[in-house]
Amino acid sequence: MFLDILIAMLWSMSPFGEAKVGIPYAILNDINIYLAFGLCFAANVLVFPIMSFFLNVVNRYFMKWRSYKKSGNFCRTESQSWCWQ
């Protein structure tokens, strides 16, 4: 049962499955519908904080590279000048 819940949550976190696959997978494996909905919904919501943390760490690592930092600053200044015209 734990493995079925874990797989359903992973389906809910994946961009291919989301709630369209995770919840039906859990229900078809005889997991309570309310438990399946709650856990799959929570897993789907957890995607944003995980990706935000991951992108922050990667960005901090890449900012040590001169070319990445230069292109990032260029994109930032160009987008600001475009937005405020």
Side-chain angles (χ1 to χ4, degrees):
M1 180 171 164
F2 176 75
L3 184 61
D4 292 331
I5 292 174
L6 183 65
I7 292 172
M9 289 177 71
L10 289 175
W11 269 117
S12 294
M13 291 177 79
S14 75
F16 302 111
E18 293 188 356
K20 299 175 193 108
V21 177
I23 294 172
Y25 176 83
I27 293 171
L28 288 174
N29 286 306
D30 297 326
I31 295 174
N32 184 357
I33 190 169
Y34 300 112
L35 180 64
F37 176 75
L39 291 175
C40 290
F41 179 76
N44 200 342
V45 169
L46 280 177
V47 171
F48 177 74
I50 291 170
M51 283 303 296
S52 179
F53 173 76
F54 174 73
L55 290 175
N56 191 17
V57 169
V58 169
N59 188 43
R60 197 174 320 130
Y61 173 74
F62 281 151
M63 284 302 271
K64 296 175 185 175
W65 297 2
R66 184 173 182 262
S67 59
Y68 179 82
K69 189 173 187 176
K70 187 176 178 181
S71 64
N73 287 334
F74 175 76
C75 290
R76 183 184 54 159
T77 56
E78 286 299 313
S79 66
Q80 286 176 351
S81 65
W82 179 78
C83 288
W84 300 111
Q85 287 182 352

